[in-house]
Amino acid sequence: MASLQTLLSILFFTAIAFHQGLVDAKFSKSMYISWGAHHSAILGNGDDLQLVLDQSSGSGVQSKRAFLFGSIEMLIKLVPGNSAGTVTAYYVSSTGNMHDEIDFEFLGNISGEPFIVHTNIYTQGIGSREQQFYLWFDPTADYHNYTIHWNPTEVVWYIDSLPIRVYRNYENEGIAYPNKQGMRVYSSIWNADNWATRGGLVKTDWNSAPFIARFRRFRPRACKWVGPASTSLCASNSPANWWTSPTYSQLSSAQMGQLQWVRNNYLIYDYCQDAKRFNEQIPPECFKKQF
Ligand SMILES: *[C@@H]1O[C@H](CO)[C@@H](O)[C@H](O)[C@H]1NC(C)=O
Ligand SMILES: *[C@@H]1O[C@H](CO)[C@@H](O)[C@H](O)[C@H]1NC(C)=O
């Protein structure tokens, strides 16, 4: 009897914890301005957002909901002209000192010099897993699609549907994976001229302010998180369980080729190749197949 009861309560918990949803997407419905409100604005029909940095403040938004797994899309047009010293961020994160986090950060540069795309992932409060890339286009000329794809099997960072990085779940080999904490979506812009551009050599030129990053068409195709529960799938009877299908839990060979192309041509830094930093103790996931 006891075990039946336990089973039933697990089923019940799973059902409420993973109530899935194609969450209503517009910024005006699903996000709020959490910082620098006098600067930021949600525009048009609620599908456009601009975040502003000037000498008085940066600014940021966050999603009202937290999610557990999903494909979180954002179109972003980065600060044009002289953006040196500025950082624009787009990431998902849980809270607390054991938090999980998956990041895109865009490090500005002087006019005509390349932005750096900085990626990282934290599991249970530990990050230090940076990979950095240059881009194969001018990210200030137009909107581009930056997607964080996060399912029980892997995390994939996509730019315009090209996978640039994968972090696979090797939890069964003792490597932490973000699958137990709901994460909110955040975007922000701030001054980081102590490190962002050429390692802090180039300072923000406030004569070029205000610095404006533009965001469009936020789409969190994700499972709503309503409380702690163990790893599970998002409502297995729902149409949104597409991320568990084979095509979503592993890159196709064409996508592996794309990822290799990005790494061969645009990778600047990979923590897995930085043995010195880790005192020759390279983190264990670096020895696992990631894509
Ligand atoms: C953005 O990229 C993701 C991942 O490839 C893709 O699923 C989605 O359809 C793209 N969205 C747009 C608006 O292009
Ligand atoms: C800025 O441009 C310089 C010179 O091309 C380059 O070395 C650097 O990586 C670029 N990006 C950043 C964020 O510093």
Side-chain angles (χ1 to χ4, degrees), residues 63-209:
S63 64
K64 294 174 185 169
R65 284 193 171 281
F67 304 102
L68 184 72
F69 307 132
S71 197
I72 297 157
E73 293 175 41
M74 184 87 87
L75 304 185
I76 308 175
K77 187 175 173 182
L78 294 170
V79 176
N82 183 357
S83 60
T86 72
V87 172
T88 303
Y90 163 53
Y91 59 103
V92 295
S93 182
S94 61
T95 55
N97 54 9
M98 297 292 279
H99 82 293
D100 295 333
E101 180 177 325
I102 305 166
D103 298 323
F104 269 115
E105 289 185 339
F106 306 95
L107 318 186
N109 218 332
I110 53 175
S111 302
E113 297 302 322
F115 268 75
I116 287 177
V117 179
H118 175 99
T119 63
N120 202 356
I121 178 165
Y122 287 71
T123 53
Q124 295 169 16
I126 298 172
S128 305
R129 297 193 179 100
E130 301 86 354
Q131 284 186 8
Q132 296 186 331
F133 305 85
Y134 286 134
L135 289 164
W136 48 96
F137 52 84
D138 174 1
T140 71
D142 214 337
Y143 289 88
H144 290 269
N145 174 357
Y146 302 89
T147 292
I148 295 169
H149 181 87
W150 169 36
N151 72 21
T153 313
E154 66 188 7
V155 173
V156 187
W157 289 252
Y158 285 98
I159 300 180
D160 291 335
S161 295
L162 297 193
I164 64 160
R165 175 174 184 179
V166 179
Y167 181 86
R168 288 186 72 81
N169 184 345
Y170 286 105
E171 200 174 33
N172 59 0
E173 301 184 38
I175 299 168
Y177 188 79
N179 57 11
K180 293 175 189 67
Q181 306 183 61
M183 302 212 255
R184 288 195 158 73
V185 186
Y186 300 82
S187 270
S188 54
I189 182 169
W190 75 92
N191 177 37
D193 68 2
N194 56 332
W195 64 276
T197 306
R198 297 183 56 212
L201 286 178
V202 187
K203 300 300 174 191
T204 302
D205 175 10
W206 294 108
N207 293 321
S208 306

Side-chain angles (χ1 to χ4, degrees), residues 4 14 23 33 37 45 50 56 63 72 91 96 106 111 113 126 135 173 216 228 230 232 241 243 248 270 273 284 291:
L4 179 61
T14 308
V23 172
I33 295 168
N45 63 1
Q50 67 179 40
S56 72
S63 64
I72 297 157
Y91 59 103
F106 306 95
S111 302
E113 297 302 322
I126 298 172
L135 289 164
E173 301 184 38
R216 177 171 284 173
S230 60
S232 182
N241 72 351
W243 52 72
Y248 272 97
D270 183 351
Q273 297 167 0
F291 61 91

